Amino acid sequence: MTNSTKLTDEDRWQAVLEKDRRFDGAFITGVHSTGIYCRPSCPARKPLRKNVKFYTNAADAEAAGLRPCKRCSPNTQSAEEACVLAAIAAIRARVGQGKGTLTLDELSDLTGYSPTHFQRLFKRTVGLSPAAFARALREERVREALEEGVNVTDALYKAGYCAPSRFYADTKGRLGMAASEWANGGEGKRVHWSVIDTSLGAMLVAATEKGVCCLSFNEGEAQLRARFPKAEIIEAGSDFRALFQQVVAAVEDPALDNSHIPLDVHGTAFQQKCWEALRQIPAGETRSYGEQAAMLGNPRASRAVGSANGANNIAILIPCHRVVPASGGVGGYAYGPEIKAELLKREGGKLL
């Protein structure tokens, strides 16, 4: 049920592997060895990739000589699917007009379901409540406006916020700078740093007065300056000793709760959402990129999620090591697969 125009065949195959129902309606899976076509979420046994071809809709699949699967009925659209599609279109239209969000009662009237049932149905299908979905769209409009050079206040009003305070209330407690700091790139920050020996190797840790802004391995001052070219870089003194000791403890035992360690990160709105999703993955568990994208309510964004994870400056505290390929194995890691494998081992994590 997501927009299929930007999906690659790799994205589609990933959705099939994960039986992701959020892609139902976005494309059709044709299995030429059996002569049938299915929804991405079909519960039947996974086909071999070499036997699969993707189609835009059921008509195209049938024109290729395939017949509909009897288990998942890909040639029909349920009333529930239709109502969620209608609600998504209405929410997108309202946000696109820069107006206030639709209430749950208004969406209920639109779809004909009770508010409670519709809320449950929408969240099960999209991964977010209608209100959270609308907030995500509005925050994305703020990001796009800032990237276009619009000033902060105009960007907020353009996205439909009645006042700047409403935006800050919506984003309170999330990772990242305020919108004004983000718009100017965080210029004027003072960054205190040190390189500390750990059992995983030499660790670069850096922090502002607000919290840790960088944690990496086998890097030094030169790499830190490259990451923060507009900041004032200062070797850390005793004021940061206690904070850095907490960071070392988190590195040596990544299974420990480190949510008490303050962070100061900067990135686009999408990157910050990805990093928040990473922090929601419990120690000892892993997710695929597709599953992380689904956590954000945008299952087709697995590639964008991978890029956002790669832009993460704070290893372990923002645990991108907990995301692994759905096909198996450890996968890539900025500081080497050996460190990633060791972190997962220490957490007792199981690969997919």
Side-chain angles (χ1 to χ4, degrees):
M1 293 181 59
T2 185
N3 187 345
S4 62
T5 57
K6 296 182 180 180
L7 289 176
T8 66
D9 279 356
E10 182 181 342
D11 296 328
R12 296 181 179 95
W13 179 240
Q14 189 66 38
V16 171
L17 290 176
E18 297 172 3
K19 301 184 184 298
D20 196 329
R21 65 184 300 163
R22 296 179 182 87
F23 284 86
D24 288 353
F27 65 88
I28 292 293
T29 306
V31 186
H32 283 261
S33 58
T34 60
I36 65 171
Y37 66 91
C38 304
R39 297 172 181 266
S41 66
C42 182
R45 188 172 63 179
K46 179 183 70 177
L48 294 176
R49 177 66 182 89
K50 65 181 182 180
N51 296 328
V52 170
K53 184 176 180 180
F54 300 107
Y55 296 91
T56 302
N57 50 46
D60 289 348
E62 291 181 4
L66 302 176
R67 63 185 186 279
C69 172
K70 294 182 179 180
R71 295 189 66 178
C72 64
S73 302
N75 56 332
T76 62
Q77 183 184 77
S78 70
E80 290 185 341
E81 289 175 331
C83 89
V84 172
L85 283 172
I88 288 174
I91 294 170
R92 287 189 181 278
R94 180 65 69 93
V95 172
Q97 295 165 2
K99 297 180 180 180
T101 57
L102 290 164
T103 66
L104 187 58
D105 285 339
E106 288 173 324
L107 291 170
S108 174
D109 290 340
L110 172 68
T111 60
Y113 288 96
S114 71
T116 301
H117 180 74
F118 174 74
Q119 170 102 338
R120 187 183 307 113
L121 171 63
F122 191 95
K123 189 169 184 178
R124 185 185 69 200
T125 306
V126 178
L128 297 169
S129 69
F133 180 72
R135 283 197 299 271
L137 290 179
R138 293 167 76 188
E139 290 171 28
E140 189 69 10
R141 281 181 62 83
V142 172
R143 179 188 69 79
E144 292 171 351
L146 289 173
E147 288 181 348
E148 293 169 0
V150 178
N151 67 56
V152 173
T153 300
D154 288 346
L156 298 182
Y157 285 118
K158 185 177 180 180
Y161 288 98
C162 58
S165 59
R166 183 66 263 168
F167 170 79
Y168 294 113
D170 279 353
T171 58
K172 183 179 180 181
R174 299 185 185 176
L175 294 173
M177 300 179 184
S180 58
E181 292 177 303
W182 174 30
N184 65 25
E187 187 175 2
K189 288 278 186 178
R190 178 174 291 182
V191 176
H192 303 258
W193 68 279
S194 183
V195 172
I196 304 171
D197 289 331
T198 74
S199 60
L200 293 175
M203 176 187 72
L204 169 67
V205 58
T208 68
E209 71 282 356
K210 293 182 179 180
V212 176
C213 62
C214 183
L215 194 166
S216 61
F217 294 94
N218 301 313
E219 293 186 342
E221 182 180 1
Q223 288 82 3
L224 182 66
R225 290 185 181 278
R227 291 176 187 265
F228 303 102
K230 296 182 179 180
E232 181 182 359
I233 307 297
I234 305 169
E235 193 163 356
S238 58
D239 291 348
F240 285 81
R241 182 176 297 120
L243 174 61
F244 287 6
Q245 286 175 344
Q246 294 178 49
V247 173
V248 172
V251 169
E252 298 297 350
D253 188 353
L256 292 175
D257 179 16
N258 58 50
S259 60
H260 62 285
I261 299 177
L263 305 182
D264 185 13
V265 297
H266 65 102
T268 67
F270 181 76
Q271 287 172 337
Q272 293 177 69
K273 291 175 189 174
C274 289
W275 300 337
E276 283 286 1
L278 288 171
R279 300 191 85 195
Q280 294 172 21
I281 303 173
E285 295 185 16
T286 57
R287 301 286 187 272
S288 69
Y289 291 103
E291 287 172 331
Q292 186 187 354
M295 291 170 67
L296 302 171
N298 190 2
R300 62 186 173 87
S302 56
R303 283 191 173 184
V305 163
S307 297
N309 290 359
N312 170 28
N313 283 330
I314 306 179
I316 302 176
L317 303 183
I318 300 178
C320 55
H321 63 276
R322 294 175 188 163
V323 180
V324 298
S327 56
V330 173
Y333 193 55
Y335 312 110
E338 296 81 6
I339 289 180
K340 183 174 183 178
E342 178 60 24
L343 289 170
L344 293 174
K345 178 181 178 182
R346 293 182 184 188
E347 293 181 0
K350 295 181 179 180
L351 299 181
L352 298 177

